[in-house]
């Protein structure tokens, strides 16, 4: 792509009798590019798409998916259209999806900016972060409760579905996550869960202390008003909700657990991290 100023200069040089090759050398551009602009085949200031019309065969499918869920992630849709034959990269897909304006407008989401964050050093094996997320109207009825445990150093996470968030189910879910991760880190970072931390303090619940001792872990709650201190698992929750839960087809709790395990070791472990 050349600028309008370069286009004006190229047209003027052409009228003076310059050759296309000479104009290209003068402007530092490719000869074929200059010829296209001189012949009126391209418009200055407008970048030509590298994959014109690549999204066209999938627009009807994508529109239907947005009708089902207006907030579905573009990366989840990309995972769906690639097996259908979409030929380009995710970057091209996201750009074409944005230009096609297929996603319905949402007043609640428009203009939302991410909160300020800070980078925290997490040595390998030092910390695992825990958090629940729940989704109402699960396909099997009631509410789905999922405990995620995320390693602070690598961001790798595993999850365990549960029927409740009370302490017995929490302990069972923690054990399931640790077995899927292959062990535990030295520190367990949690928010101020009443099943783990005594409300209003930083002290561990008397009924939960034996659990931490069994695994040899130190329980550390997040400081007040420091939600980003547990940002690794919060990012994992957002990722799992957007890429797994919104596209899950399981109809039972057991099927959902199998689906979550598969997601964690494939899509979850393959996601890009800084």
């Amino acid at each position: 792509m050349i600028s309008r100023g370069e286009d004006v200069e190229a047209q003027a040089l052409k009228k003076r009798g310059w050759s296309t090759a000479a104009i290209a050398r003068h402007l530092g551009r490719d000869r074929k590019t200059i010829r296209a602009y001189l012949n009126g085949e391209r418009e200055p200031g407008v970048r030509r798409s590298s994959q014109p019309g690549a999204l066209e065969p999938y627009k009807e499918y994508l529109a239907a998916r947005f009708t089902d869920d207006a907030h579905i992630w573009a990366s989840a849709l990309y995972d769906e259209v690639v097996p259908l034959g979409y030929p380009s990269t995710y970057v091209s897909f996201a750009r074409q999806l944005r230009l096609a304006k297929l996603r319905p407008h949402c007043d609640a989401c428009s203009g939302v900016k991410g909160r300020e964050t800070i980078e925290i050093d997490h040595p390998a094996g030092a910390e695992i972060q825990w958090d629940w997320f729940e989704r109402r109207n699960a396909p099997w009825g009631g509410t789905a409760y999922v405990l995620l445990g995320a390693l602070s150093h690598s961001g790798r996470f595993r999850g365990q579905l549960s029927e409740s968030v009370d302490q017995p189910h929490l302990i069972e879910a923690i054990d399931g996550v640790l077995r899927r991760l292959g062990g535990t880190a030295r520190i367990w970072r949690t928010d101020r869960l009443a099943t783990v931390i005594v409300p209003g303090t930083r002290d561990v619940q008397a009924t939960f202390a034996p659990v931490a001792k069994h695994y040899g872990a130190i329980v550390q709650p997040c400081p007040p008003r420091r939600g980003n201190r547990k940002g690794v698992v919060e990012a994992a929750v957002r990722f799992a909700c957007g890429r797994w839960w919104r596209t899950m087809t399981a109809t039972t709790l057991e099927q959902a657990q199998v689906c979550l395990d598969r997601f964690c070791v494939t899509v979850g472990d393959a996601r890009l991290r800084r």
Side-chain angles (χ1 to χ4, degrees):
M1 181 182 70
I2 66 174
S3 66
R4 291 182 176 86
E6 290 174 321
D7 180 61
V8 170
E9 185 175 359
Q11 296 291 345
L13 293 176
K14 180 183 179 182
K15 290 180 179 180
R16 295 180 188 177
W18 285 42
S19 67
T20 301
I23 296 174
R25 286 195 298 270
H26 174 70
L27 296 177
R29 299 289 185 171
D30 182 75
R31 185 177 66 254
K32 295 179 181 178
T33 300
I34 295 299
R35 183 182 295 115
Y37 283 99
L38 291 175
N39 294 336
E41 298 172 3
R42 296 183 61 179
E43 182 181 352
V46 178
R47 186 176 298 279
R48 185 173 60 184
S49 174
S50 59
Q51 293 289 343
L55 195 70
E56 194 64 32
Y58 310 96
K59 282 187 176 180
E60 185 176 349
Y61 172 80
L62 294 172
R65 294 291 285 117
F66 280 127
T67 301
D68 295 336
D69 185 357
H71 296 87
I72 188 170
W73 285 20
S75 52
L77 291 175
Y78 180 70
D79 289 342
E80 297 179 10
V81 297
V82 167
L84 299 178
Y86 181 78
S88 300
T89 63
Y90 171 71
V91 175
S92 298
F93 174 78
R95 182 181 66 250
Q96 293 164 6
L97 191 66
R98 182 175 62 254
L99 295 176
K101 298 181 180 180
L102 296 175
R103 188 186 296 276
H105 176 74
C106 177
D107 291 331
C109 296
S110 60
V112 175
K113 301 290 184 180
R115 62 182 178 181
E116 295 182 359
T117 59
I118 58 174
E119 296 298 328
I120 302 174
D121 182 35
H122 294 295
E127 181 180 284
I128 181 172
Q129 299 180 6
W130 300 97
D131 202 4
W132 286 104
F133 77 87
E134 57 186 64
R135 287 295 179 268
R136 297 186 178 90
N137 302 319
W140 50 88
T143 302
Y145 302 99
V146 185
L147 179 71
L148 289 187
L151 298 174
S152 302
H153 174 73
S154 65
R156 179 171 294 179
F157 68 91
R158 295 294 185 266
Q160 174 75 45
L161 280 92
S162 181
E163 298 177 352
S164 174
V165 295
D166 59 18
Q167 194 175 78
H169 285 92
L170 170 66
I171 296 171
E172 181 183 22
I174 287 176
D175 184 78
V177 170
L178 292 179
R179 291 179 185 276
R180 288 171 172 82
L181 286 172
T184 183
R186 293 187 291 274
I187 297 174
W188 289 0
R189 177 78 60 180
T190 74
D191 55 16
R192 295 173 179 267
L193 296 173
T195 52
V196 178
I197 304 298
V198 178
T201 73
R202 294 178 55 85
D203 199 12
V204 179
Q205 288 279 10
T207 53
F208 191 81
V211 179
K213 291 180 180 179
H214 173 77
Y215 291 100
I218 301 171
V219 180
Q220 291 187 357
C222 287
R225 296 175 295 281
R226 296 292 188 276
N228 290 350
R229 188 61 184 83
K230 198 163 58 67
V232 175
V233 71
E234 289 180 354
V237 168
R238 180 174 179 271
F239 182 76
C241 291
R243 292 292 301 274
W244 170 67
W245 181 260
R246 288 186 179 276
T247 59
M248 184 191 66
T249 58
T251 57
T252 67
L253 185 68
E254 293 74 17
Q255 292 175 356
Q257 184 64 62
V258 173
C259 180
L260 176 59
D261 291 341
R262 186 187 308 115
F263 172 83
C264 289
V265 300
T266 54
V267 180
D269 287 355
R271 65 183 176 139
L272 297 177
R273 304 178 181 87
R274 288 187 293 177

